[in-house]
Amino acid sequence: MESNPQLDLDPNRDDLPLRANTNQMLVRHYALDLAVHFQRMVIGGSIVLFLEPVKSERGSTSNTPVQDVCKLSSSKDDAKSPIMPCPNKLTPTKNPSDLSEGSDINNVTWGDDSDDFTLVLDCCDLVVFRVEEVDVTTVSHLKELDKQGFYANADHPSSSLVRRLVSMPSASWRQQQDLYLQCSHSPAVLHEKPLRFHMDQWSLQIRKEGVLSPHAFPCALRIWYETKPTGGSVRWTKDQDGRCCVYTMGSPINNRALFPCQEPPVAMSTWQARVRAPCDYTLLMSGENQAFPEPAETGVLQWDYYVTMPMPASTFTIAVGQWLEAGVKASNSEVEKTEEPHVQVPVVSLDNSQSGPTDQHQRRLISEQNGDEQYVCSHMDYPCRFLVSAARTQTVIPHRVYAPAHHLQRAEDQVLPLLPLCLTAAHLILGVHPFSRLDVLIVPSGFSSLGMASPHIVFLSQSVLTGERNLCGARLCHEIAHSWFGLAIGARDWTEEWISEGFATYLEDVFWALVQQLGCGEAEEQKQLKALLRWRRLSDELQNSEEELQVLRPNKENTGEVSESGASVVKHALNPGKPFMQVHYVKGYFLLKFLADQVGEENFLLFFKAFVRKFHGRLILSQDFLQMLLDTFSAMSSRGITLETIFSDWLDTPEMPKWLRDASSEWLQTPVVEEVREEVAKWIHFSDSDGKGTKRKRAGPKVNFKEEPLLEQMTFAEGVWMWERREMSQVSLVCMCGIDQGLRPMAEEQVKGRGCEQEQMLE
């Protein structure tokens, strides 16, 4: 149907609309049944949504705890064995495009003035064929949950059973997942017309005739649809071997062009997906289980993944390609099954661990928050790893590394050995790994950043495979940090990106210093030099970008506010300059560095662990972190550091905070900077002599370093400093520093992708 212009995005604005009416109805679970078609470059099939009407008043469905205590089943089967899905009882015999044949339901005038309740989902670049109500009463095992016959006698027995299903306790998570699967294969309700639907540029709207409220609306819907080849949520491309592949690309529009969903972060849900792809392809997904393919039909394999931790729909990730697993010998069999992951998880000890705080009062406050005597989760009920004693001591989770054949050896040599070290360092600082396993995939060239983290899977750019331990390891640390900040703890308002990126940038340095096992002096020198370089980058960005893009909390006191229905916008999300901005990374990093300077880094890192234990599985705003910090370290207020001053100095204004200006002056006077100056002088001399009579050789255009100011030289100088310590090759030095020194043509040979990826290499 044609879209309504009044409901479409204003072309003069750059905000991303979140249309889903999450204050009226919430998706609690998605069940996807899809097939990947490489020839047509589409993903098609069906998705079943399990819905629950919102019972409370506006705004109470965000991160308010649903249940104080969540417990895992003690069943060994629940803890170890993968879900064994029932056979697919619903086999679509039709082409998805045939589903709308013979139905004129969408030719009826939609009528914006209708009194019927409208379910609004975020959606774009999708072809929707049909929407139907699922008859879950056909699932006999589901009716067994209603032993007293309460739901069977309800006015809407199907919806009542779904509400019972979505509210099952976490101890029954395996039974719940199996029932979701059986329900998703149930037929449509007999003698009912397909539900009416309407699409505009940014949403899919669904109604059932005569239903006036969300409480009377069907709670299980099946949507038949296909993606479009040009849809913005996935990228169809070829890998480094010239083979077709597709993956979610971290688009500003998130997953709404992959499946109809509720995009607002407060719509946290679980999901399971059955996806079919050609038999010579490997399918990776954000799922808790290590899926093994099963034959679906001739030449096609079927992969089943699931997630039991409620997450925003934007975190769903999929990658389908002819990837190979690093460290695994080639097998002649088409599908090889094993009971356990092949990765031998090593026991890694880091001797240079942080000592505890010296102040006894601070130690007591933090130890109370970190205490192991009686752990109580404050998130909604789900099978939480923080409650499993074995997970608390599991320093390294099972992990795999995948890459196209072209990069397989480099992935095996560089990424695979570093991964357990980085996981160990992260566990030492933050505690329990929120996710049970991790896949790392080297994605095709043209990926828009150095990395992207999703539940159970990380995408890495080929740019990290330079042969340099420093670049690859630091980026792994950054993405692993997102398991805690960005995923297990997410921002309730997407405009507060610093909650994810600023924290990951700060923790990246902490983790990597532990992996390197640097002495205190070396670690401090590295931190000072990195801080100076990031300050230089932030200074440049503040001088050369729109002020409205420089603010870490652009909605200010209205942060987290939504409309009466739950709809909102993500401010500036579609601004073409936004992908190139680093302010959320760098200024957010400096805010955390400022706070650490007030309480001491050792205390600050202990506080991080306490914060994670309290807020994992929840969505937060900036004040949740800051207020807990101020309450823990009450002496900060006597120095004039309050929630209001942090907002005004750091989060709500584009200016450079005074503390940062003063600190940068001190960093310029450190011994390591003097050492770098000497190295720069050598290169200036080398530039003047054009390399004659020296052993060092240089390719590329000549650069006159005398004309470069000191801060411009600093970016180049960090590479010199690392190269002299045999941490970088000359090629990587050019990649790292050439961007700011007029050597862009050489750098682009090694760094593929957009400018934001190149800029992030400087970290």
Side-chain angles (χ1 to χ4, degrees):
M1 299 179 65
E2 295 182 0
S3 63
N4 184 342
Q6 295 181 350
L7 296 177
D8 291 341
L9 183 68
D10 184 346
N12 297 317
R13 298 174 58 192
D14 58 9
D15 299 336
L16 175 67
L18 304 178
R19 290 286 179 80
N21 49 346
T22 54
N23 279 348
Q24 298 168 341
M25 185 79 83
L26 284 173
V27 179
R28 295 292 300 274
H29 186 80
Y30 297 93
L32 297 95
D33 192 343
L34 304 172
V36 181
H37 304 282
F38 279 100
Q39 289 187 337
R40 297 173 53 220
M41 291 195 300
V42 299
I43 299 174
S46 68
I47 181 171
V48 175
L49 279 59
F50 295 86
L51 304 163
E52 184 177 39
V54 176
K55 300 177 183 178
S56 52
E57 295 296 326
R58 173 189 172 192
S60 63
T61 60
S62 55
N63 66 336
T64 305
V66 175
Q67 197 164 323
D68 290 336
V69 181
C70 53
K71 297 181 179 180
L72 283 174
S73 169
S74 58
S75 167
K76 294 182 179 179
D77 292 335
D78 278 2
K80 295 183 179 180
S81 60
I83 288 179
M84 299 302 294
C86 293
N88 191 338
K89 299 177 182 178
L90 180 69
T91 305
T93 57
K94 296 182 179 181
N95 216 343
S97 59
D98 297 334
L99 290 169
S100 58
E101 290 183 359
S103 173
D104 61 353
I105 194 71
N106 291 324
N107 295 324
V108 180
T109 303
W110 176 249
D112 292 327
D113 57 350
S114 172
D115 292 331
D116 291 344
F117 169 75
T118 302
L119 173 68
V120 183
L121 301 172
D122 294 296
C123 171
C124 72
D125 294 332
L126 294 179
V127 180
V128 175
F129 302 109
R130 185 184 183 98
V131 181
E132 58 194 19
E133 182 179 357
V134 178
D135 186 4
V136 300
T137 62
T138 61
V139 179
S140 58
H141 291 91
L142 183 61
K143 290 190 284 187
E144 291 176 4
L145 298 177
D146 185 22
K147 295 181 179 179
Q148 297 178 349
F150 176 79
Y151 297 103
N153 298 324
D155 293 336
H156 307 282
S158 181
S159 294
S160 298
L161 286 171
V162 171
R163 293 172 197 172
R164 175 69 182 92
L165 173 60
V166 301
S167 62
M168 290 179 68
S170 60
S172 303
W173 69 269
R174 186 171 300 282
Q175 181 188 12
Q176 183 187 46
Q177 288 282 318
D178 185 64
L179 288 172
Y180 276 137
L181 187 65
Q182 293 184 51
C183 289
S184 70
H185 297 152
S186 299
V189 175
L190 290 175
H191 311 302
E192 289 278 355
K193 293 181 179 180
L195 302 182
R196 296 173 59 196
F197 67 90
H198 167 79
M199 297 184 70
D200 61 36
Q201 183 181 357
W202 294 105
S203 69
L204 169 64
Q205 302 163 40
I206 303 170
R207 292 177 185 161
K208 182 174 182 179
E209 189 174 356
V211 173
L212 304 181
S213 73
H215 293 276
F217 194 78
C219 286
L221 302 181
R222 182 183 294 113
I223 302 171
W224 297 91
Y225 77 99
E226 273 187 352
T227 63
K228 293 182 179 180
T230 57
S233 295
V234 295
R235 184 175 184 222
W236 299 87
T237 185
K238 292 187 176 181
D239 64 19
Q240 293 86 342
D241 299 304
R243 296 173 176 176
C244 295
C245 61
V246 61
Y247 62 94
T248 45
M249 56 187 295
S251 167
I253 66 170
N254 296 308
N255 282 325
R256 65 180 68 190
L258 177 59
F259 58 91
C261 58
Q262 292 183 328
E263 284 281 349
V266 296
M268 299 173 71
S269 59
T270 55
W271 60 75
Q272 58 194 147
R274 170 170 289 174
V275 184
R276 291 168 294 282
C279 61
D280 49 348
Y281 283 77
T282 296
L283 194 148
L284 304 176
M285 191 183 296
S286 46
E288 294 173 17
N289 58 313
Q290 180 178 316
F292 297 107
E294 298 284 348
E297 55 189 84
T298 303
V300 176
L301 291 177
Q302 173 179 290
W303 305 72
D304 290 278
Y305 285 91
Y306 65 87
V307 164
T308 61
M309 176 181 177
M311 302 285 293
S314 60
T315 63
F316 179 92
T317 304
I318 186 172
V320 187
Q322 297 187 46
W323 329 116
L324 299 175
E325 184 177 355
V328 175
K329 294 182 179 180
S331 173
N332 293 326
S333 59
E334 185 178 274
V335 180
E336 182 176 348
K337 294 184 182 180
T338 57
E339 291 298 323
E340 298 292 338
H342 85 279
V343 175
Q344 297 297 317
V345 179
V347 178
V348 180
S349 64
L350 300 174
D351 297 328
N352 296 338
S353 58
Q354 301 283 346
S355 59
T358 54
D359 183 274
Q360 294 300 316
H361 175 66
Q362 292 174 357
R363 180 190 291 273
R364 180 179 59 81
L365 286 174
I366 297 173
S367 64
E368 287 176 357
Q369 294 163 342
N370 276 333
D372 289 329
E373 291 78 9
Q374 186 175 1
Y375 198 111
V376 178
C377 293
S378 57
H379 51 68
M380 66 178 69
D381 188 25
Y382 70 83
C384 179
R385 281 176 52 81
F386 283 73
L387 296 176
V388 181
S389 58
R392 300 180 193 176
T393 58
Q394 187 183 25
T395 58
V396 179
I397 55 177
H399 52 274
R400 304 179 296 181
V401 176
Y402 284 86
H406 182 78
H407 287 311
L408 186 63
Q409 190 60 52
R410 285 200 283 176
E412 184 172 337
D413 294 342
Q414 298 174 46
V415 181
L416 199 57
L418 283 173
L419 195 47
L421 300 175
C422 297
L423 289 168
T424 299
H427 180 272
L428 180 64
I429 298 300
L430 297 179
V432 179
H433 289 283
F435 304 106
S436 57
R437 66 177 196 93
L438 178 64
D439 285 338
V440 176
L441 172 65
I442 306 300
V443 290
S445 59
F447 187 57
S448 60
S449 68
L450 282 184
M452 185 179 78
S454 301
H456 312 283
I457 186 169
V458 163
F459 291 168
L460 282 185
S461 166
Q462 65 177 7
S463 299
V464 305
L465 301 178
T466 61
E468 308 308 334
R469 190 171 182 262
N470 192 70
L471 178 58
C472 183
R475 180 47 45 176
L476 276 174
C477 288
H478 183 101
E479 302 308 331
I480 288 171
H482 278 311
S483 293
W484 287 266
F485 291 96
L487 295 175
I489 301 174
R492 203 172 86 194
D493 188 317
W494 274 343
T495 62
E496 291 200 299
E497 292 177 58
W498 84 276
I499 291 175
S500 175
E501 299 301 348
F503 280 67
T505 303
Y506 181 86
L507 289 167
E508 165 194 328
D509 291 354
V510 176
F511 296 171
W512 185 235
L514 286 173
V515 173
Q516 292 174 293
Q517 300 192 20
L518 298 178
C520 293
E522 277 189 295
E524 187 59 31
E525 284 183 350
Q526 189 177 93
K527 288 177 185 177
Q528 290 175 347
L529 188 54
K530 283 193 172 185
L532 183 59
L533 293 164
R534 286 171 178 153
W535 172 74
R536 178 258 187 187
R537 188 194 317 162
L538 180 61
S539 300
D540 285 349
E541 191 161 287
L542 296 183
Q543 294 173 18
N544 298 290
S545 61
E546 304 172 47
E547 281 198 357
E548 58 187 7
L549 297 181
Q550 301 172 10
V551 181
L552 297 187
R553 202 174 70 125
N555 290 327
K556 300 181 181 178
E557 65 275 3
N558 296 321
T559 300
E561 293 292 322
V562 297
S563 69
E564 184 177 355
S565 70
S568 62
V569 297
V570 184
K571 203 167 185 179
H572 308 309
L574 300 180
N575 187 298
K578 187 73 163 49
F580 300 92
M581 297 291 292
Q582 294 288 297
V583 66
H584 292 89
Y585 293 78
V586 185
K587 193 174 181 181
Y589 153 83
F590 279 122
L591 171 53
L592 295 174
K593 192 170 180 62
F594 161 74
L595 296 172
D597 189 58
Q598 308 305 310
V599 302
E601 186 181 50
E602 295 173 359
N603 293 337
F604 194 54
L605 293 178
L606 284 172
F607 172 78
F608 262 68
K609 184 179 288 188
F611 183 81
V612 165
R613 299 188 74 165
K614 181 176 181 179
F615 281 94
H616 69 275
R618 299 170 61 182
L619 302 173
I620 66 169
L621 299 174
S622 294
Q623 53 262 41
D624 294 316
F625 175 80
L626 297 173
Q627 191 60 62
M628 181 174 168
L629 180 72
L630 294 169
D631 291 343
T632 303
F633 302 99
S634 55
M636 293 175 67
S637 61
S638 63
R639 299 194 293 273
I641 302 173
T642 64
L643 195 61
E644 291 72 22
T645 59
I646 295 173
F647 281 159
S648 61
D649 293 346
W650 289 91
L651 298 178
D652 293 351
T653 57
E655 291 85 8
M656 184 82 74
K658 181 180 182 301
W659 176 88
L660 186 49
R661 293 195 302 269
D662 295 342
S664 62
S665 299
E666 295 178 7
W667 297 329
L668 280 168
Q669 307 305 318
T670 56
V672 67
V673 173
E674 293 298 327
E675 184 180 353
V676 168
R677 282 195 178 100
E678 294 177 4
E679 289 295 333
V680 172
K682 294 178 184 178
W683 280 77
I684 291 175
H685 175 72
F686 170 69
S687 177
D688 288 341
S689 64
D690 201 21
K692 295 179 180 179
T694 67
K695 294 182 179 180
R696 295 177 179 173
K697 294 183 180 180
R698 173 176 59 92
K702 179 179 177 180
V703 180
N704 188 348
F705 294 106
K706 285 184 176 179
E707 297 177 359
E708 303 291 340
L710 174 62
L711 290 180
E712 293 293 328
Q713 294 173 6
M714 290 302 297
T715 302
F716 171 80
E718 184 194 37
V720 175
W721 184 70
M722 287 194 240
W723 184 41
E724 291 293 321
R725 284 157 178 72
R726 302 181 182 273
E727 290 189 9
M728 297 189 74
S729 69
Q730 189 172 7
V731 172
S732 296
L733 172 61
V734 171
C735 290
M736 185 174 187
C737 309
I739 294 168
D740 289 277
Q741 297 294 338
L743 303 182
R744 189 177 299 274
M746 288 190 63
E748 287 180 347
E749 292 178 5
Q750 297 292 326
V751 183
K752 307 289 176 101
R754 297 191 309 202
C756 59
E757 177 174 355
Q758 297 168 347
E759 286 298 312
Q760 287 177 355
M761 287 192 70
L762 299 180
E763 293 183 9

